Amino acid sequence: MVARHGENPDPDYYLMFPGHRLEISDCLIVSLAETMYQKDGGTDIPVGYTYLGQFIAHDITHFIDPADKTLLKQLSAVERHNRRTPSLDLDSLYGHPSGFGSYIDSKDGKFVNKNQTEEKGRIVFFDLPRDEQGNALIGDGKNDENLFVAQMHLLFMSAHNRLYDLYSDQGAKDPFKEARKELTLIYQRIIQDDFLYRILNHRVFEALFRKSGALYLLDISPEDRVYMKLPHEFSAAAFRFGHSLVRSDYNIRFQGEILPQNIRQFFKLTGRGGEWEKIRPDQFSMAWDEQVDLSRYKVDNNYQEAEMIDTHFISEMLSLPMEPSGKNNIIARNLGRAMEFGIGSGQSVIRAINSGQQGGEYCEQMGLEVLDFDKVKNNDMQTLFDNFDLRSHMPLWTYVLIEPAQHFPSHIAHTRLGTLGSLLVGEVFRALLLTSRTSLLDKGFDSSQSVFLRDIKSRFPERESNGDKIGLEDLVAFVHF
């Protein structure tokens, strides 16, 4: 089955299902916002994956800003067009999809950053490299939006430098090239083996990444990499499920002690937030054992859990810091963008999938059917279903958030995406994994040749191999343990 991929004049985005635009009234937007309240309850998803998701989003959805005159002067005409890509190639980290970034030593091939400290005899970074005004000197300035996504960026920076050293020690001819290639494949393995495995409906995950002969909504091959665009249904709706995972309070180390901090503080502790000078190893540092599950390393850590995937948001998401008034309500902003881009309702997307070539077989393979909204245990939402005919025409983003309530046993409801959300997110990531310049699904990953896994296995013989799956906790161990 093939959706209409890329048939849109926009150079970076397109509609998978054009012609189904849903008009969303201001009254509905206000009413939906009024149903959101402070959440109480988590998932089995460690909080680190909330900000890994944000890091991934920045890697695939940011393109060069024509107003960035300094950067434009540094790039050739070809580089200006190709600097950032909708590809899982870590160009948000390296600053350019095919070569050295602006903040890598061209002679040494390592990230240069004076904000560093020593852990277990190894150099790690505790803050992003900055200019005198506190602006982050990185490939994507959005990764300085909050402390957590900045620390995720630093994790990958430190991992690159460590990989570079390991390749240099074994006499690699081009340690930069080898380090970048391996880190990109590790990143893709973490996305597939860990991130997607945690958030997707398992039936959808198995069909997309484990089953041979499966039907695909996006029939993409590695040869399509120059044409790869991102669907609005993914970027402006389905992948925005991550907004519901955000907690109000997170644990962080302050002067060596674990203390809870409100999320607003994490927006302040950046260059944009104005308190970047406070980010020092003797004051604030990441408590990675609070962010990831270390049971694979035989460590019983009580990591914090992300909030549930549902229509309830923390109050801070209704008045985002660092955003102008009128654009700081995440609910109104997401619904407004969906209408602006012409995205249809969840029901219209399902009908379009079902009516396509082999659509019935695809829906049966995935277990896709329209929700029974009577099973949604939320009186406020039930009222909205009736008042705004949402049983027939629900905004896609809202549909994706409500869907997890029905597809799982009650004790694990809202811990994974439902079927439609899973296939929209999973199909796009499968396409991205296939079409990336360094591609996990195209060229594969030889675990026996990985200096990353060799280092992990030699230093942590007690680690459970689990079929050589690579998770976020492995990247944390590689850098910090």
Side-chain angles (χ1 to χ4, degrees):
M1 179 182 183
V2 184
R4 296 178 61 185
H5 176 65
E7 295 182 17
N8 187 299
D10 189 306
D12 303 318
Y13 298 93
Y14 74 103
L15 281 170
M16 293 172 70
F17 307 102
H20 298 279
R21 178 190 180 94
L22 176 66
E23 295 294 335
I24 306 172
S25 68
D26 291 341
C27 183
L28 174 56
I29 291 176
V30 170
S31 297
L32 281 169
E34 288 176 348
T35 69
M36 311 305 181
Y37 54 85
Q38 181 67 40
K39 302 171 72 157
D40 182 21
T43 66
D44 60 351
I45 304 173
V47 295
Y49 294 88
T50 306
Y51 298 95
L52 174 62
Q54 186 178 22
F55 179 85
I56 295 168
H58 292 173
D59 190 45
I60 62 178
T61 61
H62 180 74
F63 302 93
I64 190 167
D65 183 358
D68 192 342
K69 304 300 183 183
T70 302
L71 177 61
L72 286 173
K73 290 179 181 179
Q74 298 174 359
L75 303 177
S76 68
V78 173
E79 289 174 326
R80 291 176 195 178
H81 180 70
N82 293 323
R83 177 177 177 262
R84 295 297 308 283
T85 61
S87 178
L88 297 169
D89 56 10
L90 286 175
D91 59 8
S92 63
L93 178 72
Y94 290 102
H96 188 279
S98 60
F100 287 102
S102 303
Y103 313 111
I104 299 174
D105 189 306
S106 59
K107 295 180 180 178
D108 195 4
K110 296 170 66 174
F111 286 100
V112 178
N113 186 356
K114 66 180 181 180
N115 298 319
Q116 60 185 34
T117 187
E118 185 174 311
E119 289 183 4
K120 302 183 184 301
R122 298 190 299 271
I123 297 298
V124 296
F125 301 133
F126 61 81
D127 185 27
L128 299 170
R130 301 183 184 278
D131 62 19
E132 294 181 355
Q133 288 73 46
N135 300 308
L137 304 175
I138 55 177
D140 187 345
K142 293 200 304 298
N143 282 349
D144 194 30
E145 180 180 279
N146 61 69
L147 182 61
F148 274 158
V149 74
Q151 292 291 320
M152 192 66 66
H153 191 104
L154 287 168
L155 182 66
F156 280 90
M157 286 179 65
S158 296
H160 167 87
N161 282 11
R162 179 152 167 68
L163 280 169
Y164 181 97
D165 289 339
L166 290 173
Y167 273 106
S168 294
D169 292 344
Q170 70 178 30
K173 182 178 179 180
D174 189 343
F176 170 81
K177 180 180 178 180
E178 296 297 335
R180 176 168 183 168
K181 178 182 177 181
E182 177 150 4
L183 185 58
T184 301
L185 288 172
I186 291 165
Y187 170 56
Q188 293 179 11
R189 285 285 302 266
I190 290 171
I191 290 172
Q192 178 184 275
D193 297 353
D194 194 11
F195 181 72
L196 294 177
Y197 182 79
R198 286 178 182 273
I199 66 170
L200 298 186
N201 173 308
H202 275 178
R203 181 170 177 174
V204 175
F205 180 86
E206 291 294 321
L208 293 177
F209 298 103
R210 297 286 184 263
K211 186 178 180 181
S212 61
L215 295 173
Y216 302 115
L217 188 63
L218 294 176
D219 190 11
I220 298 292
S221 71
E223 289 70 32
D224 292 317
R225 60 175 46 99
V226 295
Y227 305 110
M228 187 61 196
K229 298 180 180 182
L230 289 176
H232 285 305
E233 290 90 345
F234 166 84
S235 61
F239 199 51
R240 291 176 181 251
F241 80 90
H243 291 148
S244 71
L245 297 177
V246 178
R247 295 170 58 105
S248 285
D249 298 297
Y250 292 92
N251 290 341
I252 195 168
R253 283 193 176 87
F254 177 71
Q255 295 182 345
E257 298 290 330
I258 296 291
L259 292 175
Q261 295 283 315
N262 183 268
I263 188 173
R264 292 185 179 277
Q265 183 67 13
F266 297 118
F267 281 87
K268 294 179 180 179
L269 291 170
T270 66
R272 292 175 62 189
E275 297 187 13
W276 59 277
E277 290 179 324
K278 291 185 179 180
I279 309 173
R280 293 165 31 202
D282 60 334
Q283 290 193 356
F284 292 93
S285 64
M286 284 297 286
W288 281 109
D289 53 339
E290 299 280 335
Q291 320 302 324
V292 297
D293 180 5
L294 297 173
S295 59
R296 196 175 183 185
Y297 287 82
K298 307 298 191 229
V299 175
D300 186 18
N301 65 309
N302 294 317
Y303 58 83
Q304 288 187 288
E305 295 180 343
E307 293 287 4
M308 293 188 290
I309 302 173
D310 58 18
T311 55
H312 299 158
F313 288 72
I314 60 171
S315 59
E316 290 86 349
M317 296 297 283
L318 309 183
S319 181
L320 291 172
M322 312 303 297
E323 296 290 345
S325 178
K327 295 184 178 181
N328 58 355
N329 184 312
I330 198 67
I331 300 164
R333 192 165 73 178
N334 285 350
L335 292 171
R337 284 180 176 175
M339 185 169 63
E340 175 188 347
F341 296 143
I343 297 174
S345 66
Q347 294 92 329
S348 70
V349 168
I350 293 175
R351 287 194 298 270
I353 293 172
N354 194 42
S355 63
Q357 184 182 11
Q358 295 182 296
E361 292 180 53
Y362 179 84
C363 289
E364 184 178 353
Q365 169 189 279
M366 296 299 188
L368 178 62
E369 57 185 20
V370 176
L371 286 176
D372 179 355
F373 292 102
D374 290 334
K375 294 183 179 180
V376 177
K377 305 301 182 183
N378 182 322
N379 292 332
D380 292 331
M381 290 303 298
Q382 289 288 350
T383 300
L384 292 183
F385 295 163
D386 296 329
N387 292 347
F388 293 94
D389 193 26
L390 296 184
R391 299 172 192 273
S392 300
H393 308 285
M394 180 175 290
L396 179 58
W397 179 60
T398 310
Y399 188 101
V400 167
L401 294 174
I402 286 177
E403 192 182 30
Q406 182 173 316
H407 285 273
F408 305 99
S410 59
H411 69 286
I412 57 170
H414 299 289
T415 63
R416 297 180 186 276
L417 289 169
T419 305
L420 180 60
S422 292
L423 70 88
L424 289 175
V425 170
E427 286 272 7
V428 171
F429 271 104
R430 176 181 172 273
L432 291 171
L433 287 166
L434 270 171
T435 58
S436 294
R437 287 173 173 81
T438 299
S439 169
L440 174 66
L441 297 186
D442 182 21
K443 302 298 183 183
F445 180 77
D446 188 348
S447 299
S448 65
Q449 300 300 313
S450 167
V451 301
F452 174 87
L453 285 176
R454 193 179 305 142
D455 176 81
I456 288 288
K457 291 177 180 179
S458 66
R459 291 194 292 124
F460 305 101
E462 73 281 6
R463 170 184 175 269
E464 294 179 1
S465 62
N466 198 14
D468 269 343
K469 289 183 178 179
I470 298 177
L472 181 58
E473 73 279 2
D474 293 317
L475 194 65
V476 171
F478 180 72
V479 171
H480 290 287
F481 295 172

